[in-house]
Amino acid sequence: MNLKELSARLGLSQTTVSRALNGYPEVSKTTRERVAQAADRYGYRPNPRAKGLAVGRAFAIGQVIRSDGPTEMVNPIFGDFIAGAGAVYSKAGFELILSVISDGNEAAAYRGLKTRGAVDGVVVNSPLVSDPRFPLLQDIGLPFVVHGQTLGPVPDYDWVDIDNYAAFKTATRHLTDLGHRRIGLINGFESMTFAHLRRAGYEDSLRAVGVAADPAIMVSGEMTEDQGYHAAHDMLAMAKAPTAFVVSSIISAYGVRRAIETLGLVMGRDVSVVIHDDMLSYLKNGTSDRPIFTATRSSVRDAGRDVAEMLIRRIRNPSLPPQHLLLPVDLVQGRSSGPPPDVLGPMA
């Protein structure tokens, strides 16, 4: 059965039936329930394209992804985010459209999506401290939700984020409470807001115990296993080596562990490590009762669901006030952190 046939049986217009099935508030609750019951009875499953024609929507969500240089598509964090968001899109009758660009011209990609009417809104990932995408999207009138935030001067917008500052303040304080004072930072690109805030939390936690952050043991860059290995190996070879690290990704943390073991040291005894762990489906932090790493923990899959739900609310009700969701982060004790060794010296 198609929309036209279902509408005829109900004696309602196709627009009313489509809006009822999609929960639009201007359709009465009685009508929505009547339409839903009829759809179940006749086995009607809406076609996204047909729905779009009926109500003037694409019933699609867009994400613009770069393929040149470091890309989110090969990152397991992005995969879990899409899995969480995709479940919400599917339930709400929306499709996901990935627009992959290779020339870095994201502005043209967003303008194209808007001009073609290809999507009803977009999700923006990996926001920069000062991000030109947000004012662009506001200017062209394309609804969007950000996974993260910007710190630049942008009119208010919808976002979902974790408390990155508090996460790394807590992670560093855990180490200082254990007695560590020489703590290395292995971070993401600090042009991105999350890494900028994590560094601030780390520095403020050190400052609280009278320790100045040392640039010699602070590294930022693409969060890969290789980054973690080389950064930790170089720092541990210093005459005044760190006794601990805070690390922005479980991916980098596996490289840190490799460096520690390569140098004949034991993680958690000779060198402590606290990481940020996104509870990834295919890259586990041990088991729930015995984590490998002490970690500030959050679920990126849950964040994907939250972002998707927020964007669909925005699409259905454009007059909503700006929506914000700051997710707390818990510290989970693992096997990777303990008091510093009694004697510090060269570890090469």
Side-chain angles (χ1 to χ4, degrees):
M1 173 172 287
N2 58 34
L3 179 67
K4 182 178 179 181
E5 292 167 339
L6 179 62
S7 301
R9 284 181 180 269
L10 289 164
L12 299 170
S13 71
Q14 293 182 48
T15 298
T16 298
V17 171
S18 182
R19 288 183 178 275
L21 289 170
N22 286 284
Y24 281 80
E26 60 265 32
V27 180
S28 71
K29 180 181 178 182
T30 301
T31 300
R32 291 199 302 269
E33 290 175 351
R34 179 184 167 216
V35 170
Q37 290 169 3
D40 287 341
R41 183 165 63 251
Y42 297 121
Y44 171 72
R45 294 294 178 269
N47 179 287
R49 300 297 180 191
K51 286 197 301 180
L53 290 173
V55 298
R57 294 202 183 282
F59 285 94
I61 304 297
Q63 269 191 270
V64 176
I65 304 297
R66 291 182 57 168
S67 65
D68 54 327
T71 174
E72 292 165 321
M73 291 186 71
V74 298
N75 190 319
I77 295 172
F78 182 71
D80 260 31
F81 179 87
I82 289 296
V88 175
Y89 299 150
S90 178
K91 184 177 179 180
F94 283 75
E95 297 177 310
L96 172 64
I97 295 178
L98 291 178
S99 183
V100 182
I101 60 172
S102 60
D103 59 2
N105 192 353
E106 290 185 62
Y110 287 123
R111 291 186 186 279
L113 290 172
K114 173 65 175 178
T115 301
R116 297 193 308 273
V119 299
D120 299 312
V122 295
V123 170
V124 180
N125 290 92
S126 304
L128 304 174
V129 172
S130 182
D131 202 310
R133 292 174 293 181
F134 303 173
L136 166 71
L137 290 167
Q138 289 172 333
D139 181 58
I140 64 178
L142 188 58
F144 69 97
V145 172
V146 182
H147 182 209
Q149 303 174 63
T150 184
L151 302 180
V154 179
D156 211 352
Y157 55 92
D158 297 335
W159 56 262
V160 174
D161 200 5
I162 66 167
D163 195 338
N164 286 287
Y165 172 83
F168 267 50
K169 190 171 184 180
T170 298
T172 308
R173 186 174 63 241
H174 170 75
L175 292 168
T176 60
D177 286 349
L178 289 169
H180 294 275
R181 293 298 182 269
R182 185 78 173 157
I183 302 170
L185 171 66
I186 300 175
N187 204 2
F189 287 111
E190 290 175 2
S191 58
M192 294 184 180
T193 305
F194 81 89
H196 180 90
L197 291 172
R198 289 179 187 180
R199 174 174 174 164
Y202 157 85
E203 290 179 337
D204 284 353
S205 200
L206 288 178
R207 193 175 296 114
V209 294
V211 175
D214 182 356
I217 55 171
M218 299 166 66
V219 170
S220 66
E222 186 180 3
M223 297 182 296
T224 63
E225 194 274 348
D226 196 54
Q227 179 224 27
Y229 172 77
H230 287 291
H233 192 280
D234 290 349
M235 292 184 205
L236 290 171
M238 294 177 175
K240 192 178 179 183
T243 62
F245 295 99
V246 287
V247 186
S248 262
S249 166
I250 191 172
I251 302 169
S252 299
Y254 278 107
V256 172
R257 184 175 71 170
R258 178 162 66 96
I260 291 169
E261 293 172 350
T262 297
L263 292 168
L265 304 171
V266 177
M267 184 174 72
R269 186 193 70 187
D270 302 311
V271 183
S272 290
V273 179
V274 180
I275 73 167
H276 182 68
D277 161 37
D278 283 294
M279 300 171 61
L280 303 178
S281 300
Y282 296 100
L283 191 59
K284 300 287 189 181
N285 181 17
T287 59
S288 59
D289 60 335
R290 191 166 167 78
I292 297 169
F293 297 102
T294 299
T296 55
R297 176 169 288 183
S298 68
S299 171
V300 73
R301 187 176 288 240
D302 287 350
R305 293 190 189 102
D306 291 331
V307 167
E309 289 169 354
M310 185 176 286
L311 181 54
I312 290 170
R313 285 196 299 271
R314 168 63 58 204
I315 291 166
R316 288 177 172 170
N317 190 355
S319 63
L320 280 174
Q323 309 166 90
H324 304 149
L325 179 59
L326 186 66
L327 302 170
V329 177
D330 298 320
L331 182 75
V332 178
Q333 179 69 53
R335 290 171 275 158
S336 66
S337 62
D342 293 334
V343 180
L344 299 180
M347 295 187 181

